[in-house]
Amino acid sequence: VVVLGRSLIVGKPVALLALQKKTGANGTVTLCHSGTRDLPSFTRQADVLIAAIGRPEFVTADMVKPGVVVIDVGVNRVADVSKKTGYRLTGDVHFSTVSSVAAKITPVPGGVGPMTVAMLMKNTVKAHALRNHP
C-alpha cells in the first residue's frame, strides 16, 4: 500500500488503518508526500494507491502499475468557465488516464466523499448516544 500524502486528516490515519494486524488490513505501507524523491518509483510499486496529496490530477498513468487499485481521496476545485459555478471538482488522480491502467479506481466526485459523509453521520449519532448513556 502506498499512501500519497502525510496529513493528519487522511494520510497518516489511513496508513495506520492499513497497517493494523487484522483481516482486511495487515498491509506493508509506504507513506510518501510531495517532497519524496523519485516519487513515481514508489507509486509504481503499489498494489493499492491512496492519493491524498491535495494537488489536482497529480497522479498520472505513468505513475502507476497495471492492475493497481486507486483510492482517490482528493477533492480539488479547478477553474472551468464552461460550468455555471466557474469550477469543476477533480481528484488527486488524473482519472481518464489512470482508469485505463487501474483494476479499480474511485471517482471524484462521487467516490470517497459520500462514504466520508456517511461515516460522519454514523459517528455523530454514536457520539450522541454515548453522551446520554455512557
Side-chain angles (χ1 to χ4, degrees), residues 88-109:
R88 65 182 168 83
L89 294 179
T90 188
D92 291 348
V93 177
H94 192 270
F95 187 88
S96 61
T97 59
V98 175
S99 62
S100 64
V101 179
K104 300 284 182 189
I105 185 170
T106 60
V108 174

Side-chain angles (χ1 to χ4, degrees), residues 31-119:
L31 189 58
C32 299
H33 51 82
S34 59
T36 300
R37 273 203 184 114
D38 194 18
L39 183 59
S41 70
F42 292 98
T43 58
R44 279 194 291 266
Q45 292 180 48
D47 294 318
V48 177
L49 176 64
I50 302 168
I53 196 166
R55 295 193 179 178
E57 301 179 336
F58 181 83
V59 177
T60 55
D62 62 316
M63 293 175 70
V64 300
K65 74 177 182 181
V68 66
V69 172
V70 179
I71 301 171
D72 191 350
V73 183
V75 179
N76 307 283
R77 287 184 181 186
V78 176
D80 187 341
V81 294
S82 71
K83 301 288 184 185
K84 186 177 178 180
T85 59
Y87 66 88
R88 65 182 168 83
L89 294 179
T90 188
D92 291 348
V93 177
H94 192 270
F95 187 88
S96 61
T97 59
V98 175
S99 62
S100 64
V101 179
K104 300 284 182 189
I105 185 170
T106 60
V108 174
V112 174
M115 180 57 71
T116 303
V117 173
M119 293 309 297

Side-chain angles (χ1 to χ4, degrees), residues 9-20:
I9 302 295
V10 177
K12 290 176 183 174
V14 80
L16 291 173
L17 284 170
L19 280 169
Q20 292 181 91

